Each structure stands twice: as C-alpha cells, then as structure tokens.
C-alpha cells in the first residue's frame, strides 16, 4: 500500500520561499495512472488544492496560487516537491501531499500533513 | 471555480442514528464527486468516489448518492468512530474544489 510522507522546514520567514518534499513509499511514483498533488488546509478550515504533477513533469496549478507555486518531481528518489514563494502569514497552514487518481479525479492516498508557520 | 456548498455545517447525533450530509455544487458536475472523512489531527481519507462508489475498506454503513447539483452522503448507523469532519470534492472541472465541511458529533 502506497504511503506518502511530507518533510521540510516547519518555520519560514515572511517573503521567503517555502519548500516541502513528499516521499512516496510502497510503490513507484511512475507507475499507474496517477498525478501527485499538494493540498493545504488552514487550521479549522477547509481544503485548498495547490497543484499537481505527472511523473513526466507536466504540471497544473490552482490559478489562485499559480504565480507563486512550483511543483517538481524526482522519479529516481520517488519524491515530488513544492515551492511556494513570497510567503505571508496567510500561508501558515497544514500542507498535505496526496495521490490523485486520474480516472476518478479523487485523492486516494494522503500524507499525514505538515504544519508550516510563516513568522519572523 | 465550482463552489461546493455543504449542509449542515455541523450535526450532532446519537450512536445508531442515520446521518445525512448534503453537497451542492454551483454548477452541474454529473457524477464526479467524492467524499472524505477527516478525523481530528489526521489527514482526510477517501470514502466515496464517483458519487456512489465505496472506496475499498470503507464500512458499508457509508453510502453516497446523487448527480448533477445535488449529492448526499449517508451514514446509516452512526458509530463512535465516525466522529469527524466530512468534505465533498468535485472532480469535474479544473481546479478540483472542496466543500466547507460538515462536522459530525456524537451526542
């Protein structure tokens, strides 16, 4: 069974770039009909999709964040990564990585989530 | 973006009760809808996909129905472990969007 695990700094200074990595285990990131996504959630609030990447490197981003987001993949390490630039306090949320099933459009495996705080 | 409206925002019910949660997209999405369960401090878990298909391993007391602009998640007999917030998600149009959540509490 595939498992996902987020890693990265829990504290980022305002105006800097947030960087997170998701490591996939229990299966190859390149196999199957899956995209790999980032989703975020403010404390006590709903879920916001950030973007997705296909193993080939093709990406799609939420228009609301597109100007600040870069998602990349390293198939040799079975990892994909998120970079969010020019962060503010509003980016202080829990970030999840998730597997997106292309056929159903649903997120069928999730990481445990990691809280990133933006503060000086 | 397609806006997803869930109701109620919270519900309190007794063990064994039937619980129904509604999700209404701002435009028709055919059957491209999923439901997730998020327990406190945990990541969301996929329960239902394609409006009514039960994800593997999910108890049969969970069911989904609907199409277009009106969808329902039903818990046929509420159990203590069902304490959670439930979210709907549309998979019909880019970008995927989620409802605001329905918190289910046990009386």
């Amino acid at each position: 069974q595939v498992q996902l695990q987020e890693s990265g700094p829990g504290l980022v200074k305002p105006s800097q770039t947030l960087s997170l990595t998701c490591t996939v285990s229990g299966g190859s990131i390149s196999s199957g009909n899956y995209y790999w996504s980032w989703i975020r959630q403010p404390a006590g609030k709903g879920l916001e999709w950030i973007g997705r990447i296909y193993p080939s490197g093709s990406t799609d981003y939420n228009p609301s964040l597109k100007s600040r987001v870069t998602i990349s993949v390293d198939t040799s390490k079975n990892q994909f990564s998120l970079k969010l630039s020019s962060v503010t306090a509003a980016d202080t949320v829990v970030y999840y990585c998730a597997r997106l099933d292309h056929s159903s459009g649903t997120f069928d495996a999730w990481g445990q989530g990691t809280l990133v705080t933006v503060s000086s | 973006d397609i806006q997803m409206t869930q109701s109620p925002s919270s519900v309190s019910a007794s063990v064994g009760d039937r619980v129904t949660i509604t999700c209404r997209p701002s435009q028709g999405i055919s059957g491209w809808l999923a439901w997730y369960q998020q327990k406190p401090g945990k990541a969301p878990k996929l329960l239902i996909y394609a409006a009514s298909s039960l994800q593997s391993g999910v108890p049969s007391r969970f069911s989904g129905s609907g199409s277009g602009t009106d969808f329902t998640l039903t818990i046929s007999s509420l159990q203590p472990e069902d304490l959670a917030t439930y979210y709907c998600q549309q998979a019909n149009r880019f970008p995927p969007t989620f409802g605001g959540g329905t918190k289910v509490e046990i009386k």
Side-chain angles (χ1 to χ4, degrees):
Chain A
Q1 182 164 340
V2 70
Q3 293 184 314
L4 296 85
Q5 176 70 57
E6 304 89 352
S7 59
L11 181 64
V12 181
K13 289 182 168 51
S15 80
Q16 293 192 343
T17 296
L18 176 160
S19 295
L20 295 173
T21 295
C22 183
T23 301
V24 179
S25 59
S28 171
I29 201 170
S30 299
S31 67
N33 198 20
Y34 299 111
Y35 286 91
W36 302 91
S37 274
W38 289 96
I39 295 163
R40 69 181 191 172
Q41 183 176 36
K45 296 191 177 181
L47 299 154
E48 179 182 33
W49 179 76
I50 299 171
R52 69 184 184 189
I53 190 164
Y54 200 62
S56 64
S58 171
T59 55
D60 294 293
Y61 301 128
N62 192 323
S64 66
L65 295 167
K66 186 175 183 177
S67 64
R68 298 195 292 134
V69 173
T70 302
I71 298 176
S72 58
V73 65
D74 186 337
T75 55
S76 67
K77 294 182 178 179
N78 233 30
Q79 294 176 335
F80 62 106
S81 298
L82 169 70
K83 291 188 186 297
L84 181 66
S85 64
S86 305
V87 297
T88 69
D91 297 310
T92 296
V93 302
V94 174
Y95 291 81
Y96 294 100
C97 58
R99 187 176 75 173
L100 173 60
D101 184 320
H102 179 66
S103 60
S104 65
T106 56
F107 303 96
D108 65 354
W110 296 66
Q112 65 184 24
T114 187
L115 173 63
V116 177
T117 300
V118 178
S119 174
S120 55
Chain B
D1 297 3
I2 296 178
Q3 306 304 314
M4 306 296 288
T5 302
Q6 284 185 237
S7 61
S9 57
S10 66
V11 58
S12 181
S14 299
V15 172
D17 282 355
R18 184 182 187 89
V19 174
T20 299
I21 299 168
T22 297
C23 180
R24 292 195 169 91
S26 58
Q27 58 186 274
I29 60 169
S30 188
W32 293 93
L33 186 104
W35 290 97
Y36 300 86
Q37 175 193 64
Q38 185 175 33
K39 295 185 176 181
K42 301 294 187 182
K45 172 189 171 184
L46 178 64
L47 297 177
I48 302 281
Y49 63 95
S52 60
S53 296
L54 198 66
Q55 177 72 350
S56 176
V58 173
S60 59
R61 63 180 180 274
F62 292 93
S63 65
S65 65
S67 68
T69 58
D70 198 355
F71 296 86
T72 299
L73 173 70
T74 299
I75 308 173
S76 61
S77 177
L78 189 67
Q79 299 300 304
E81 60 266 33
D82 300 335
L83 167 71
T85 300
Y86 294 82
Y87 294 94
C88 60
Q89 175 237 326
Q90 66 83 16
N92 185 61
R93 294 282 180 92
F94 178 87
T97 47
F98 295 84
T102 295
K103 188 173 185 178
V104 174
E105 298 172 316
I106 312 295
K107 278 183 184 175

